[in-house]
Amino acid sequence: MNGDWLLRGRDGRLCVYLPSGDAVLCRAEPGPGGPWEAPRRIGGDQKLRPGLSVGVGADRYAHLVAWRPTGGGQSGLVHSTHFRPRLAPLDWSPVGHPDKKGARTGTPAVAVDARGRAHLFVRNAGGGMSLLAQKEKGGWEPWRDLRGEGLQDEPAAVTGESGLVEAYAATDGVLLHWRQEKPGAQPVLDDRAEASVRPGTLRALATSAGHTTVFFTDAVSGDLCAWRPGGPPVALAAAAGPGPVAAVRCVIEGYDCTLLGQRSAGGRVAFAAYPTEREAAGAWWTESGPALADDAELALAVDETERVVAVTLSPSTGRLLLTRRKDEPGLALTAWQEV
């Protein structure tokens, strides 16, 4: 899954999206800290290919994008909107293909601008970045080619505090950044940095009024790194494990901090926190919880009481575990519980 698959909805309830064969399931909490609802299939009966991207706007509406088979080995992209966790999402709606037709080209990434318009970024058959953006009054703009070549499969999309949409993608030895210059404008390729990115490890986060930060694992050194356009990438610490990192901003002891989480090489969840945009302060991993399956993924969010919530999901077993930050100083967590 690509993006924030653990979300706090407009009504304050938490919601997770779970891949299950050729479908996507949704689970929501009916009340704060209470038992969760049973999984339910979302988007209708449409069969999907593996891979799901989720983005959320300032209105807390979730936008989901996936590939569906269209026959003859070809695929097309579909989109659904989920207005509240305890309501049913809209049925999957076809939105096309970056090359008009063809096979699946890459994992999509979704960001939602300040006006609630979803922006879908995906690699095209030529290896560059393509964009599909919603119109403000319904429907979709034409597909746009944003340039680039030799891109890795999975880009990262993010909405800055300004409400403008940004995207990151990696190619051989280079990390690329696209950014909107004004609301409704087509994002442009505006910066690049030398970086050897381990595939599948990009994760972007809005970190201040003027900046977003992308996190990735360096394929050569094995370090977890952070990059903000306008400067060089900075190594934070040795990556805890081989997979992607989850990231969320939260307040710890009165300070704006960035909390990172990653499945460690030993199978447990490792957490590290540092003052937001102050990478020079360093970050150190602390492991938590039981050992997880090799395919377990991690997501972080902040609930309606501003407490950090961490969720792990193993697609092979369907096991969903959750912990919350305790109401006490520091970053102490409750015992991990199965949802």
Side-chain angles (χ1 to χ4, degrees):
M1 292 179 285
N2 191 11
D4 294 317
W5 52 271
L6 166 65
L7 296 177
R8 185 181 76 207
R10 191 179 182 91
D11 57 4
R13 302 287 73 80
L14 294 173
C15 178
V16 294
Y17 299 98
L18 320 171
S20 178
D22 59 4
V24 173
L25 307 180
C26 171
R27 295 192 70 179
E29 58 172 5
W36 287 51
E37 296 177 342
R40 63 182 189 272
R41 184 173 180 139
I42 67 172
D45 296 329
Q46 173 68 62
K47 292 184 177 181
L48 304 175
R49 295 198 184 280
L52 170 72
S53 181
V54 186
V56 63
D59 53 14
R60 309 307 302 173
Y61 296 160
H63 292 259
L64 298 90
V65 175
W67 288 96
R68 64 162 183 163
T70 57
Q74 299 190 356
S75 297
L77 288 159
V78 289
H79 168 267
S80 173
T81 306
H82 197 182
F83 297 106
R84 292 191 182 183
R86 300 192 67 191
L87 298 178
L90 300 180
D91 285 351
W92 294 109
S93 175
V95 294
H97 190 287
D99 304 297
K100 295 187 178 180
K101 63 179 181 178
R104 179 187 185 277
T105 58
T107 302
V110 181
V112 185
D113 70 13
R115 299 179 183 176
R117 297 174 295 194
H119 290 64
L120 190 169
F121 297 87
V122 66
R123 184 181 62 183
N124 55 46
M129 182 75 84
S130 287
L131 167 73
L132 183 67
Q134 280 185 318
K135 296 179 181 178
E136 190 166 0
K137 296 184 179 180
W140 296 83
E141 302 283 354
W143 281 95
R144 307 292 186 188
D145 186 347
L146 302 185
R147 301 170 51 205
E149 59 182 1
L151 301 185
Q152 292 179 3
D153 173 65
E154 193 169 306
V158 62
T159 304
E161 291 185 9
S162 63
L164 298 175
V165 166
E166 304 181 32
Y168 294 88
T171 183
D172 186 19
V174 179
L175 188 53
L176 303 174
H177 175 247
W178 289 261
R179 184 180 187 276
Q180 282 183 319
E181 295 180 343
K182 61 181 181 179
Q186 178 176 309
V188 295
L189 183 59
D190 78 334
D191 203 357
R192 63 187 65 210
E194 293 185 5
S196 180
V197 177
R198 182 180 295 170
T201 63
L202 291 181
R203 174 67 173 89
L205 183 70
T207 50
S208 67
H211 297 97
T212 64
T213 301
V214 67
F215 300 95
F216 65 93
T217 299
D218 187 284
V220 177
S221 69
D223 289 334
L224 177 65
C225 300
W227 179 52
R228 274 185 300 284
V234 176
L236 279 166
V245 68
V248 70
R249 283 174 67 187
C250 58
V251 176
I252 302 176
E253 303 291 343
Y255 292 96
D256 177 359
C257 292
T258 296
L259 176 65
L260 306 173
Q262 192 173 35
R263 181 185 177 275
S264 73
R268 302 175 71 199
V269 174
F271 292 104
Y274 71 96
T276 299
E277 295 195 349
R278 292 177 54 193
E279 286 80 14
W284 295 267
W285 297 110
T286 299
E287 296 194 9
S288 173
L292 304 170
D294 290 345
D295 65 344
E297 299 186 41
L298 171 70
L300 300 174
V302 176
D303 68 15
E304 63 179 343
T305 66
E306 299 303 317
R307 288 195 299 170
V308 169
V309 180
V311 169
T312 66
L313 167 67
S314 168
S316 62
T317 67
R319 193 180 187 203
L320 192 66
L321 300 177
L322 179 145
T323 184
R324 276 183 166 88
R325 182 182 174 188
K326 293 181 179 178
D327 188 16
E328 60 184 56
L331 194 58
L333 300 172
T334 61
W336 289 82
Q337 295 184 335
E338 188 158 1
V339 175

